[in-house]
Amino acid sequence: MQTFWSKQLNVILTSFLLMAFTTASFANNTIEGLRIWPSPNTTRLVFDLADTPTYTYFTLKNPQRLVIDIENTPRNFDFKKVANESKLVKKVRYSTAKNPQSVRVVIELNKKLKKNIFALPPTAPYGNRLVIDLNDSDSAAQKIVLNSKSTTDRDIVIVIDAGHGGEDPGSIGPSGSYEKDVTLGIAKRLESLIGKEKGMKAVMTRAGDYYISPNKRPQLARKHKADMFVSIHADAFTTPVPRGASVWVLSMKRANTELGRWLENTERHSELLGGAAEIIQDTANERYLAQTFLDMSMDHSLTTSYDVSRDMLKHLKNVTSLHKDKPQGASFAVLTSPDIPSILVEMGFISNPQEEKNLNWSKYRQKMAQSLFNGLKQHFKGSPPDGSLWAKWKQENRTHRVRSGESLSLLAQRYNVQISTLKKANNLNTDVVRIGQVLTIPST
């Protein structure tokens, strides 16, 4: 029979164990960091956590706030030390939690925003994360002036895609360089070169350090009526030995090389780093329409992509070694626009110590950007898009070398110009032309 004191001791021990259990439960997660990634019309907040978060959230008005309750987490992290350059987020702070075992985080917003909140599992170099995507649907940054391809004398539009960004650093070099920084540095230099060329226009998918889904990058190219989509990356591999640049085009089949398979897997890894996978509906009707659209558009886009790739490689080899001297094929999300010629350029191997050093050198980045520009210029000078200023220039400066059996009347009929106009353009006083004679063909 228990004595009074033994019963009291049991009560004390039980209380102690309950307190210990409660404390352990309270401490099984912690906020280890916060990163804020602003872009022109979105902001991503990433809470780094020690464990998988269990959370709920709600919004408040006047002023606009997003309130998040994370269970079994203490108020341990100082939000004041986090840099915030977002135009959408005013402040991140704590508030009174709904119970002692949870923490309440309040995100003060500058206006009403669309919100997407989700947790991500550990994916090197990150651990568990709680991600909040804020989207300003009314932002002027979303109002894009479209260039109609039917307009005469229009600019040739090149959409430049700096790979990775924000939450997704891309490959990391042996000395700690991020691929996302290399790609943005080269992309900005290419943008500057294109901007100085009359008849060309550059559009960047990202102009700063923020994340854009690989599936949304070609969508931006389509919105801008791009004539060419160029995605810039820096290679990596499991060993430091491989080196050299390469150019990739879309392959409808699985890559048949080890490097191709590695790059495809790397892109999927980047999607895990950057955000939750997007769900694309796959109904029978959508598959039929997609296939019809692909059949009409893909042949031209793939042919153009391959031609541009070859021109790129000719100029890249003057600056760096080539890992592959012919265009390579792989299945990348950023190359899947059937109506827009698209290429992915690997500027070198950031996993190779010497190439990592080169890719971080400003003059080398400029040379690489110049080689990309030269490749684009060579292609579009020879094959300018219909309605562009360069197409007009080419038409105004057409020439023809006379071959056996050709006459002035035959050439006038072929090029749909008057014989008198043809004679005037070439200062001819007779209808007779000689074999090998080069004639200027005026525009109609």
Side-chain angles (χ1 to χ4, degrees):
M1 186 173 184
Q2 289 182 317
T3 64
F4 170 79
W5 291 111
S6 64
K7 289 181 179 180
Q8 290 298 105
L9 181 60
N10 285 336
V11 170
I12 293 173
L13 287 173
T14 301
S15 300
F16 176 79
L17 290 173
L18 182 60
M19 289 176 61
F21 175 79
T22 301
T23 302
S25 176
F26 178 80
N28 72 358
N29 206 352
T30 56
I31 298 175
E32 298 181 338
L34 169 63
R35 286 164 286 134
I36 302 177
W37 304 102
S39 71
N41 63 316
T42 65
T43 292
R44 166 167 286 191
L45 295 92
V46 183
F47 291 87
D48 293 303
L49 299 159
D51 203 351
T52 303
T54 300
Y55 64 95
T56 57
Y57 64 91
F58 58 93
T59 58
L60 296 172
K61 299 179 181 179
N62 300 320
Q64 292 286 334
R65 286 154 289 166
L66 173 62
V67 182
I68 304 170
D69 291 311
I70 308 175
E71 296 182 10
N72 301 326
T73 304
R75 186 188 291 196
N76 66 296
F77 185 79
D78 183 7
F79 294 131
K80 293 180 181 179
K81 65 182 183 181
V82 178
N84 176 23
E85 298 179 359
S86 171
K87 296 179 180 179
L88 305 181
V89 176
K90 185 182 300 182
K91 185 179 180 181
V92 181
R93 60 176 174 82
Y94 291 110
S95 185
T96 304
K98 63 180 181 179
N99 59 59
Q101 287 75 41
S102 65
V103 65
R104 173 164 289 180
V105 178
V106 178
I107 303 173
E108 297 182 7
L109 308 174
N110 285 317
K111 61 187 300 186
K112 185 178 180 180
L113 302 168
K114 291 184 178 179
K115 308 165 189 70
N116 186 25
I117 304 172
F118 53 93
L120 287 175
T123 310
Y126 302 116
N128 285 283
R129 287 155 291 161
L130 180 62
V131 180
I132 297 97
D133 280 339
L134 304 171
N135 180 37
D136 182 6
S137 58
D138 297 326
S139 172
Q142 287 190 330
K143 297 177 182 178
I144 300 171
V145 178
L146 303 182
N147 294 297
S148 172
K149 289 188 177 180
S150 63
T151 303
T152 58
D153 302 351
R154 68 176 180 84
D155 290 335
I156 297 171
V157 180
I158 310 296
V159 170
I160 307 169
D161 174 45
H164 307 281
E167 179 74 355
D168 170 22
S171 299
I172 303 174
S175 65
S177 302
Y178 286 170
E179 180 183 359
K180 67 176 182 177
D181 298 326
V182 170
T183 61
L184 186 59
I186 295 174
K188 285 184 174 180
R189 287 167 171 81
L190 177 58
E191 178 192 29
S192 177
L193 290 168
I194 292 174
K196 296 175 183 176
E197 187 72 23
K198 185 174 177 60
M200 295 185 79
K201 176 185 177 181
V203 177
M204 300 276 282
T205 59
R206 69 176 180 97
D209 187 13
Y210 47 86
Y211 176 79
I212 301 175
S213 164
N215 292 314
K216 290 183 179 178
R217 296 171 190 247
Q219 292 177 16
L220 290 171
R222 183 173 295 109
K223 287 181 179 180
H224 286 278
K225 298 287 186 181
D227 295 289
M228 192 74 213
F229 176 84
V230 181
S231 189
I232 300 173
H233 289 254
D235 248 332
F237 201 58
T238 52
T239 70
V241 177
R243 60 180 300 150
S246 56
V247 184
W248 298 76
V249 296
L250 179 65
S251 170
M252 304 310 292
K253 299 179 181 179
R254 184 86 164 106
N256 57 7
T257 66
E258 185 179 5
L259 178 61
R261 290 190 294 272
W262 170 266
L263 292 173
E264 288 178 352
N265 290 333
T266 299
E267 185 184 48
R268 279 186 279 277
H269 177 76
S270 294
E271 290 178 10
L272 289 173
L273 285 173
E278 296 181 359
I279 299 174
I280 301 174
Q281 292 183 351
D282 191 26
T283 65
N285 286 338
E286 287 183 352
R287 286 199 302 272
Y288 174 77
L289 290 172
Q291 187 60 51
T292 302
F293 188 54
L294 282 171
D295 290 343
M296 292 189 297
S297 305
M298 189 64 82
D299 285 346
H300 168 73
S301 294
L302 290 180
T303 300
T304 303
S305 300
Y306 192 85
D307 290 343
V308 173
S309 298
R310 289 188 301 180
D311 291 335
M312 286 280 193
L313 289 167
K314 290 177 185 177
H315 293 279
L316 282 168
K317 71 179 181 181
N318 296 326
V319 179
T320 186
S321 60
L322 297 180
H323 186 71
K324 296 288 184 180
D325 60 2
K326 294 181 181 179
Q328 303 296 298
S331 178
F332 297 133
V334 293
L335 299 181
T336 52
S337 274
D339 54 333
I340 300 173
S342 306
I343 62 173
L344 186 148
V345 186
E346 298 282 2
M347 309 305 295
F349 280 80
I350 199 171
S351 53
N352 179 289
Q354 183 57 51
E355 290 206 331
E356 179 192 22
K357 183 178 179 180
N358 291 342
L359 291 168
N360 281 293
W361 185 28
S362 179
K363 289 185 178 180
Y364 186 81
R365 290 184 181 182
Q366 185 65 38
K367 289 180 179 180
M368 295 297 277
Q370 186 70 54
S371 67
L372 298 183
F373 174 73
N374 292 343
L376 289 167
K377 187 174 180 179
Q378 178 179 333
H379 172 79
F380 285 112
K381 280 292 185 182
S383 303
D386 292 340
S388 66
L389 179 61
W390 285 17
K392 179 182 178 182
W393 287 347
K394 186 176 182 181
Q395 188 178 36
E396 290 174 347
N397 294 284
R398 290 181 297 176
T399 60
H400 179 88
R401 186 180 296 276
V402 179
R403 294 186 290 269
S404 176
E406 293 180 333
S407 64
L408 200 63
S409 61
L410 178 66
L411 294 175
Q413 183 179 6
R414 179 183 299 173
Y415 289 105
N416 194 29
V417 296
Q418 298 292 326
I419 294 177
S420 59
T421 304
L422 194 56
K423 289 173 68 176
K424 183 178 180 181
N426 291 278
N427 296 316
L428 297 176
N429 297 319
T430 176
D431 292 348
V432 178
V433 290
R434 65 183 184 275
I435 296 174
Q437 183 178 359
V438 176
L439 300 177
T440 297
I441 310 298
S443 59
T444 56

